[in-house]
């Protein structure tokens, strides 16, 4: 009797170069290796020291994103340390023959926005990058996961990685989302439900009618944050939405290759009789906008709720984390989320900086003025997204609103460039991590969807689009 | 990589759960292009607090870190491992590790030993009574000894073997180079290529 396989198992099996025996890992082939300036310099150094070449420059691509400024991009980078890192990447790519999209190039941008927009990310492949949010690419039905710098060196040298198979988890989201509720709210609710460690050791497959109804952008938002639930990767089975998105992209297969690829991709969805190691269910129709109050992405509630009492958690560890988090965030239990005032709104990051995210943000702020005293920054995920948005007039809407329209990059998602919160500042952010100091030393982050970010920018307090309608 | 069998030295209690890699080393330190010299960056924000455990003279020059559950979650930055290593740590003990962090540790010869949650709490209590006592983490017998306590730990067999033998991953993989070349011959033409096809 043959037992059915999951999507993840099918893709995995088709990449095994050497099957591990006696507890040894499988040697897995890597189809696509994405590089950026932060986690690669020491890997290239390792190659140089060992006298090894990059085995497959034609499966490797680099961009600059974490350190790059989002203003005055034609000027020399002011911070000398950031500049050295960027220059090091440029030298390494040149020396090892790796294609690079540098600052100023139309394909420059956040590495997880660039891969899909080039059509390099596709179903049934393996993708790695020295960045935990590589899970984003799983939205296409690829196995995509973040690796450390030693592994970056390993992939550069061998185009493979020794890996033990991940366990599989199905997260099924059925039902229709209400207006104003988005993919971001789904994933924040999933993380709050299973916890930041709940996905450890798993690749999560997102399934169900609510997932099928999402655009590729929405699916990427969900897969992006799989790592915040501790999972190595997130995946969505490819379907017509995937194929429509991919067709015609610069590196997507063409002609006979497209037909051969499509025939293969259609075999990938999980078999009906396949068994997952774990299953989680969520009803999309019950969801509302979801926001975080604490310092990890699992510490979240509905926007209409209040901050929970730390004592309400069963686990003493979680109680202690909640107390620490509230102290850091300067918030009291029982405070209504909607009463929380912010100093800044950040619209960007690999979670929510694609064209559809910018459109959603713009639809809420159009014709309005931002709240007094709130700094609002809009950072497209890539140079191409920026141009696309400008062609639609989104830059004008943003500027008339009183917000800043920036160049592409990671920006205030982690504040490696000058875009940072000041100590004590509070920010509604469409990014993925609300860790202590993530957006700048002493900064306080509330994770939100683009719609909530926009409504919050209008009112100055955490708000959803529904609040604007009620106010009218 | 050097062979690793037993790690012995002062044990530090980090009595916190969910310590993400942003806390182990903040992003500002990731701009360096070297692989060493990260000791000043370790737990940078927390070390500004004079009451933080690493600022306690009893724990000067430590070797073993004993942390709460979910240590090393979040960002993939291997700098977290380098910072721990540069500070002098050779082993980290926790009931649960972030997956990428655990993988990175194994590559760098930092022993990530998983032990039961109640054992961690007992160890913390013991160190509170005798600050500065030594722990011994034995990779051969897979046990941690601290004062009167002897506790088994878990580590996957393959990582353990590599650490014991001091083997470098890339050299190991290149033993299979002919299999990689064979595999590449079967790679379908629709799969992604980043350079224009020749
Ligand atoms: S946008 Fe943020 S999370 Fe995404 S790759 Fe950049 S720094 Fe990492």
């Amino acid at each position: 009797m043959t037992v059915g396989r999951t999507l993840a198992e099918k893709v995995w099996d088709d990449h095994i170069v050497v099957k591990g025996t006696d507890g040894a890992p499988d040697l897995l082939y890597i189809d696509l290796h994405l590089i950026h300036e932060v986690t690669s310099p020491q890997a290239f150094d390792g190659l140089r020291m060992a006298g090894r070449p990059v085995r497959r420059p034609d499966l490797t691509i680099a961009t600059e994103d974490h350190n790059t400024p989002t203003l005055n991009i034609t000027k020399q980078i002011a911070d000398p340390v950031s500049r050295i890192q960027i220059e090091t990447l440029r030298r390494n790519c040149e020396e090892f023959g790796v294609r690079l999209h540098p600052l100023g190039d139309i394909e420059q941008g956040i590495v997880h926005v660039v891969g899909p927009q080039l059509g390099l990310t596709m179903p049934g492949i393996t993708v790695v990058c020295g960045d935990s949010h590589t899970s984003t690419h799983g939205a296409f039905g690829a196995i995509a996961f973040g690796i450390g710098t030693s592994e970056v060196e390993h992939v550069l040298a061998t185009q493979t990685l020794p890996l033990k198979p991940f366990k599989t988890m199905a997260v099924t989201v059925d039902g229709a989302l209400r207006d104003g509720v988005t993919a971001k709210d789904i994933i924040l609710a999933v993380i709050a439900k299973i916890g930041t460690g709940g996905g450890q050791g798993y690749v999560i497959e997102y399934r169900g009618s609510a997932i099928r109804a999402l655009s590729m952008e929405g699916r990427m938002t969900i897969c992006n944050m799989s790592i915040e639930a501790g999972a190595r990767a997130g995946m969505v089975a490819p379907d017509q939405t995937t194929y429509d998105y991919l067709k015609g992209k610069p590196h997507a297969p063409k002609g006979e290759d497209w037909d051969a690829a499509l025939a293969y991709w259609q075999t990938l969805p999980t078999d009906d009789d396949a068994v997952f190691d774990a299953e989680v269910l969520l009803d999309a129709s019950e969801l509302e906008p979801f926001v975080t109050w604490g310092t990890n992405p699992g510490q979240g509630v509905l926007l209409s709720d209040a901050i929970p009492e730390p004592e309400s958690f069963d686990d003493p560890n979680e109680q202690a984390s909640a107390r620490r988090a509230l102290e850091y965030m300067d918030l009291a239990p029982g405070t209504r989320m909607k009463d929380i005032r912010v100093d800044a709104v950040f619209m960007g990051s690999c979670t929510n900086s694609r064209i559809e995210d910018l459109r959603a943000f713009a639809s809420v702020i159009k014709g309005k003025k931002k709240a007094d005293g709130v700094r609002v920054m809009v950072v497209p995920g890539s140079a191409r997204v920026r141009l696309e948005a400008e062609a639609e007039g989104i830059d004008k809407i943003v500027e008339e609103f009183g917000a800043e329209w920036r160049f592409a990059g990671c920006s205030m998602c982690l504040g490696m460039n000058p875009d940072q919160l000041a100590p004590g500042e509070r920010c509604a952010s469409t990014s993925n991590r609300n860790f202590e100091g993530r957006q700048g030393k002493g900064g306080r982050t509330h994770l939100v969807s683009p719609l909530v970010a926009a409504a919050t920018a209008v009112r100055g307090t955490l708000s959803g689009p529904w609040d604007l309608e009620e106010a009218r | 990589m050097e062979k690793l069998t037993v790690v012995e030295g002062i044990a530090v209690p980090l009595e916190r759960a969910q310590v993400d890699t942003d806390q182990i080393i903040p992003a500002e330190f990731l701009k360096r292009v070297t692989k060493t010299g990260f000791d000043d960056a370790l737990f940078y924000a927390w070390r500004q607090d004079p009451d933080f455990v690493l600022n306690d003279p009893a724990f000067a020059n430590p070797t073993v870190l004993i942390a709460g559950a979910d240590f090393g979650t979040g960002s993939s930055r291997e700098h977290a491992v380098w910072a721990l290593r540069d500070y002098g740590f050779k082993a980290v003990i926790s009931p649960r590790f972030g997956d990428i962090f655990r993988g990175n540790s194994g590559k760098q010869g930092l022993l990530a030993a998983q032990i039961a949650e109640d054992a961690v709490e007992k160890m913390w209590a013991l160190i509170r009574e005798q600050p500065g006592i030594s722990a011994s983490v034995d990779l051969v017998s897979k046990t941690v000894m601290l004062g009167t306590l002897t506790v088994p730990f878990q580590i996957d067999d393959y990582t353990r073997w590599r650490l014991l033998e001091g083997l470098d991953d890339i050299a190991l993989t290149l033993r299979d180079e002919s299999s990689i070349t064979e595999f590449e011959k079967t790679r379908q033409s629709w799969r992604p290529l980043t350079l224009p096809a020749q």
Side-chain angles (χ1 to χ4, degrees), chain A residues 29 31 42 55 57-58 60 79 85 99 124 148-150 154 200-201 251 257 296 317 321 324 416 433, chain B residues 16 18 30-31 34 70 74-75 78 96-97 99 104 108 117 173 177 181 184 187 189 191 193-194:
Chain A
Y29 199 78
D31 280 314
Q42 295 87 355
R55 183 181 176 89
D58 58 337
T60 313
D79 175 1
Q85 204 161 53
R99 186 162 185 186
T149 298
S150 294
H154 195 285
Q200 256 167 46
H251 287 258
D257 274 344
N296 74 52
N317 267 327
S321 295
R324 270 192 60 82
M416 273 187 90
R433 285 189 175 142
Chain B
R16 297 176 188 204
Q18 297 172 343
L30 309 191
K31 293 180 183 176
T34 53
D70 294 322
S75 156
E78 196 162 307
R96 216 161 48 213
F97 291 99
D99 281 329
N104 288 342
Q108 290 298 323
E117 194 138 10
T173 296
E177 192 171 2
T181 306
E184 284 175 332
R187 190 173 187 270
S189 58
R191 290 186 183 268
L193 285 176
T194 58

Side-chain angles (χ1 to χ4, degrees), chain A residues 23 31 120 131 141 149 181 183 187 216 241 324 350-351 387:
Chain A
D31 280 314
L120 285 168
D131 187 283
T149 298
V181 187
I187 189 62
M216 286 316 293
T241 305
R324 270 192 60 82
C350 59
T351 312
L387 279 184

